[in-house]
Amino acid sequence: MDDMSTTRTNDNDGMFKNAARVEEHIERLQSRTEDLGGQRDGIAEAREEPQSPAKRRVLRLVGKMRGKQSYSHTQYRRYKRRWFGLAQLVLLNTVVSWGWLTFAPISTTAALYFAVPESQINWLSTAFLFSFALAVPPAIWLLHSGPKDSIIAASVLVLAGNWIRFGGTRAKSFGLVMFGQILTGLAQPFVLAAPTRYSGMWFTERGRVGATALATLANPFGGALASLINPLLGDVPTTILIVSIIATVACIPSLFIPKAPPTPPTATSGLSNAPVLTSLRHMLRSPAFYIVFLTFGVYVGFFNAFTSLLNQILYPYGYSENEAGICGAVLIVAGLVVSGVTSPVLDRTHAYLLSIKLLCPFVALSYLAMVWAPQTRDLVAPYVLSAVLGASSFSLLPLSLEYLVEITYPASPEVSSTICWAGGQVFGGVFIVVMNALKDSRPVDLDKVREGGRPNGGGSRPPGNMYWALVFQAIISLVVLPLPLVLGVKRLGLSTEEGRLAHDEHREREVQNEVFAGRHEQ
């Protein structure tokens, strides 16, 4: 039964994924007949040839994806202006993430300022993550038409959310702050799910991983800035004011980014995106998609939860807010540095699947070791583990997104990436709620903890500790670990058919052969 199911899936996917190639065959026939002076007769003969039902379905699908346009004579070219749009995506992802973790590094200070329990401060991060799911449909719709409209929508929401939060902070209105936080959260899918769409539109197969990594990893980089800088900015109103001013400056360039390149950089960039519903149907028929979705969602969710709760994980053991902030910054900076090294290499090797299988165990084992790290009351263990966790998670993130495009091709990349990001954000919100519920309920004397510092007493389970929350995090991470390790197994229907990368390489070879043949004839 597994073999029969695999055969049917491969047949369907093969028909879908070879659609563009069938159309190219017809276009080459048109081009050749034009050169021979018999364009109309040749096309008419090609169209009058008997076609099987499967071929007719393929051609109808190609018609939906590309209309009646041809790219047989398209000149593929990269434009320097692509870096301007990419830089804007980096800026917006940075300030959106900074808005997400504005209060997390100063959770105890914020709780005192608003006179609310610390669990309510956690809801600022949780509501931000849950709001992602609400914005998924409009985000997919805008990204499908192009990333510029999506970027402008995100900028409007970021501006409104930040200044509403500042007004709520000045008035000490926690409800108004929450409303502004939700608006900022609604902006997230419009830019966080955009990198694969943008890189596919503007970059070649030798630059997509790097472009996707740069724009995607700007999101946790914003979290690193929040963790490192916010505890140093002073009181809560001053912190929110500075963050709002930075966000405003970052939003202004959105008006000036180009909408699309004049000509595509690759063959697949020149193809129109498949309709959203067609992409969804194809994506949901892929067993590998479910594996990637679950793995991506759980690991991104735990990364979100861990960074949101890091201060509360560490301070019962005497770690200061500054030390917890530096720990979060180490996690993210180490990830950025390692990803900066691995992304260019993977842009050339395209070893997506092997890299995923190598990196996932590091993520799971880091969460396992983190169960005991705070109990050491030393900086070395949490800092080293955070560095390993950041390096493996950040390298894994753009790889997963690019691999996702490969296994769902020719589905539109914004559909699969937005859905997977939504899963990661929702999982993150759920994990924060669960981990907060597992927190030790004994009250914490903050003054006593601050005076005593890390070296003095308190035992391995002091009041307010999150030991069982870390155990929960480690167990779920290990349970999910076998899933990415079976990707590519043909007997399970998880092998990858030819995707966007193979199509681009195939088309590039054909163009080179045509050029060589033309020179040889001359």
Side-chain angles (χ1 to χ4, degrees), residues 21 205-206 208 266-268 347-350 352 406 498-513:
R21 193 169 296 171
E205 66 274 11
R206 289 185 176 272
R208 288 184 191 133
T266 66
T268 54
D347 258 328
R348 296 188 175 277
T349 62
H350 304 126
Y352 301 153
E406 287 296 309
E498 287 190 353
R500 179 178 68 177
L501 180 62
H503 181 78
D504 278 338
E505 291 175 343
H506 171 76
R507 179 61 183 165
E508 185 178 351
R509 285 194 299 270
E510 286 189 345
V511 171
Q512 291 173 348
N513 290 338

Side-chain angles (χ1 to χ4, degrees), residues 370-516:
M370 194 63 74
V371 172
W372 298 280
Q375 300 174 24
T376 64
R377 298 178 181 272
D378 190 74
L379 295 176
V380 174
Y383 282 19
V384 169
L385 287 174
S386 292
V388 174
L389 178 61
S392 52
S393 297
F394 281 38
S395 299
L396 185 62
L397 190 57
L399 278 177
S400 302
L401 294 172
E402 288 298 317
Y403 183 71
L404 189 64
V405 174
E406 287 296 309
I407 63 177
T408 59
Y409 179 80
S412 298
E414 72 276 0
V415 178
S416 56
S417 63
T418 304
I419 290 175
C420 280
W421 272 117
Q425 305 306 84
V426 171
F427 273 122
V430 171
F431 292 155
I432 289 175
V433 173
V434 173
M435 292 172 73
N436 191 62
L438 293 172
K439 183 179 179 179
D440 184 85
S441 59
R442 290 175 293 172
V444 182
D445 187 339
L446 290 176
D447 292 333
K448 183 178 180 180
V449 170
R450 287 169 178 166
E451 290 175 4
R454 287 181 286 106
N456 295 321
S460 60
R461 310 278 177 84
N465 74 83
M466 299 193 73
Y467 173 81
W468 290 111
L470 294 175
V471 169
F472 164 76
Q473 179 176 256
I475 290 174
I476 301 299
S477 298
L478 291 170
V479 168
V480 170
L481 180 58
L483 295 179
L485 301 183
V486 299
L487 283 171
V489 178
K490 190 172 183 179
R491 290 184 60 85
L492 298 177
L494 300 174
S495 59
T496 305
E497 301 294 329
E498 287 190 353
R500 179 178 68 177
L501 180 62
H503 181 78
D504 278 338
E505 291 175 343
H506 171 76
R507 179 61 183 165
E508 185 178 351
R509 285 194 299 270
E510 286 189 345
V511 171
Q512 291 173 348
N513 290 338
E514 289 173 4
V515 171
F516 179 79

Side-chain angles (χ1 to χ4, degrees), residues 29-63:
L29 176 61
Q30 293 174 350
S31 178
R32 289 167 185 166
T33 54
E34 181 180 350
D35 294 338
L36 294 172
Q39 179 185 20
R40 293 183 180 178
D41 294 338
I43 294 175
E45 290 175 5
R47 289 177 176 171
E48 289 172 3
E49 289 179 359
Q51 295 176 348
S52 66
K55 187 175 181 179
R56 286 196 295 271
R57 288 196 298 271
V58 168
L59 292 177
R60 282 198 299 270
L61 177 60
V62 170

Side-chain angles (χ1 to χ4, degrees), residues 306-326:
F306 181 74
T307 50
S308 297
L309 298 172
L310 184 57
N311 181 51
Q312 297 168 59
I313 290 170
L314 295 178
Y315 79 69
Y317 297 91
Y319 294 85
S320 68
E321 285 184 341
N322 287 340
E323 289 172 336
I326 293 172

Side-chain angles (χ1 to χ4, degrees), residues 295 299 353-369 385 388-389 391-393 396 474 477-486:
T295 306
Y299 286 162
L353 186 57
L354 175 62
S355 301
I356 288 171
K357 292 184 177 185
L358 290 174
L359 290 170
C360 282
F362 282 98
V363 175
L365 293 175
S366 296
Y367 283 126
L368 176 63
L385 287 174
V388 174
L389 178 61
S392 52
S393 297
L396 185 62
S477 298
L478 291 170
V479 168
V480 170
L481 180 58
L483 295 179
L485 301 183
V486 299

